[in-house]
Amino acid sequence: MTAYLTKRLLIALVTLAVASVVVFSMIEIVPGDPARLMLGMNATADAVQALRDQMGLDQPLLVRYVDWVSRLLTFDLGKSYTYNVPVRDLVLERSVVSLPLAMIALALSTLIAIPVGIFSAERRGRLADTISMGAAQIGVAVPNFWFALLLIYVFAVWLHMVPAGGFPGWSAGVWPALKSLILPAIALALPQAAILSRVTRSAMLEVLGEDYIRTARAKGMPRNVVLWHHALRNALIPVLTILGLQFAFLLAGAIIIENVFYLPGLGRLIFQAITQRDLIVVESVVMLLVAVVVLVNLLVDISYAIVDPRLRTRR
Amino acid sequence: MTIIADEPVPEPQPGFLALALRNRSFVVGALLTLFIAGMALLSFFWTPYDVTKLVVADRMLPPSSAHWFGTDQFGRDVLSMIMVGARASIAVALVAVVIGMGVGVPLGCWAAARGGIVDEVLMRFNDVVFAFPALVMAILITAIFGPSAINAIIAIGIFNIPVFARVARAGALAIWPREFILAARAAGKGKARITAEHILPNIANLLLVQGTIQFALGVLAEAGLSYVGLGVQPPMPSWGRMLFDAQTRMMVAPTLALFPGLAIVITVLGLNLLGDGISDVIDPKLRRQR
């Protein structure tokens, strides 16, 4: 167990280190002077020089890299050029939209996909299986932002049940805030649920063919106990892998959905920073997202060891 | 006089196409894919209306016999725009797959053939690329280097590389221990030659299936990039851009948002079914499970 976790942890740290070099060099490969790029062509030479000083662009590359990384480690993400506030404050302010959105979407997707996957696997080849897997096949093909437009048309424009976009803030009350997150969460969740249900079904089919399932059935265990306890636990590894990837995707991948609904989340923050060429925000937030992905993958690796005892003894 | 055979005569093995034509996923997927590809090809020679001509008098007409899918805010025929838009989707996604295969497959095969430190370094680098939010990076690349179809292709293609590297490596690793590879080595063939002559033909099917999946994902990614204004640039029609333009006009012309989305769904569905069909046919174990 310790050896397995040590190896996973080392890989995560190496990934982070390499990723930080890649993110840092992005600023180096932008065409021309980064400060000039951020300020635009009409800026005075003084203004450009002032920004170069603030970003430390006149210092040697290595010094700047070490400086940037050591500031990141203390969660000092720099100061946004366009908003003129610390990036950390921006991130915290936007996370209260993006985190609940990602969690609601993930919960929805899991609650739909796992029962559907198990249900189809149990009825393999029958009509119910064909219909639900056909629906999943279509769900995978639907672009989430188009699905979002359809949802807006039906539930906001036509039925007036929820707002078509925007976010009132949590200070406006929990219900109004949640209401504006419902459509985006559904739009994000459905294509994810389609993928997850297919993965769950094929993992379950693999497990249901095993001898221990036949044994469990032969000794008279109730059907549901065999399905939900014996089979699902063994089918969990691929399901967990996809879940981990999906959570990471939902945090950053909501970028287009947040644009559709004008939600002030992390995705929209980074999108606006990119279009306004606020490279300080871009650099810090991209690095933060990468760190979250690496952390989630590490947690998934650890959870493998929890659901599969064989991994604990392997090297 | 009758000849009694010692052994039962083996049934002739049906070829790939014969098997494939009996597979429902393959047939439906191939038909949908051919339909979209045919539409894109046809658009080079003929469209119902000229997509570059703006007819202000015909703005935002509902679907009719003259304009099957209606017209947009400039009076352009939506059906014609969808036909021309298919070109952009197919071109961007296809070239991105070619980039991903062209770089990823040699890397994956190299990692599998060399093993050891080369393998470890390449695979760790793969992990790094996988850790990056692909869509965010694609948006970043297209924003910094300027929005265009070429930059969209590069942005999507880069993230195809590790996918193909991983599939090629896994496939190659499964082939290397086989006897016929041992025979080839005994015959004095080098690793590069064995990879080209024996490994590649044996993993071609896997790569083809992954190719259809990445093609479908590329179509979705291109639509997303065009939707936020960073893909194919107007006046060239693209499905993502059409959806963006439709969003603000949903109150008056809801069908504008319907047809480009359906075009994307049909393309992606067709490619995914095609991929499923191919992998069903080439991998009987999977076929049994379905």
Side-chain angles (χ1 to χ4, degrees), chain A residues 142-210:
Chain A
V142 171
N144 57 15
F145 61 92
W146 180 59
F147 186 52
L149 291 182
L150 298 182
L151 288 175
I152 292 176
Y153 183 70
V154 174
F155 293 101
V157 176
W158 194 34
L159 296 174
H160 298 289
M161 283 168 69
V162 282
F167 185 70
W170 292 102
S171 54
V174 174
W175 178 236
L178 270 182
K179 234 166 108 174
S180 58
L181 291 182
I182 292 176
L183 288 191
I186 297 175
L188 282 170
L190 214 77
Q192 306 286 308
I195 299 172
L196 193 62
S197 65
R198 283 165 56 105
V199 172
T200 307
R201 175 180 176 274
S202 70
M204 284 295 282
L205 281 181
E206 191 115 333
V207 172
L208 287 177
E210 299 282 347

Side-chain angles (χ1 to χ4, degrees), chain B residues 58-62 67 69-73 75-78 253 256:
Chain B
D58 291 346
R59 290 173 68 237
M60 298 205 273
L61 294 177
H67 298 278
F69 292 175
T71 59
D72 78 346
Q73 71 276 16
R76 291 176 294 182
D77 179 54
V78 171
L256 279 183

Side-chain angles (χ1 to χ4, degrees), chain A residues 42-63:
Chain A
N42 299 324
T44 62
D46 283 351
V48 173
Q49 190 54 47
L51 185 60
R52 286 187 66 87
D53 288 343
Q54 191 204 324
M55 293 170 73
L57 285 176
D58 292 325
Q59 283 169 335
L61 204 62
L62 196 64
V63 174

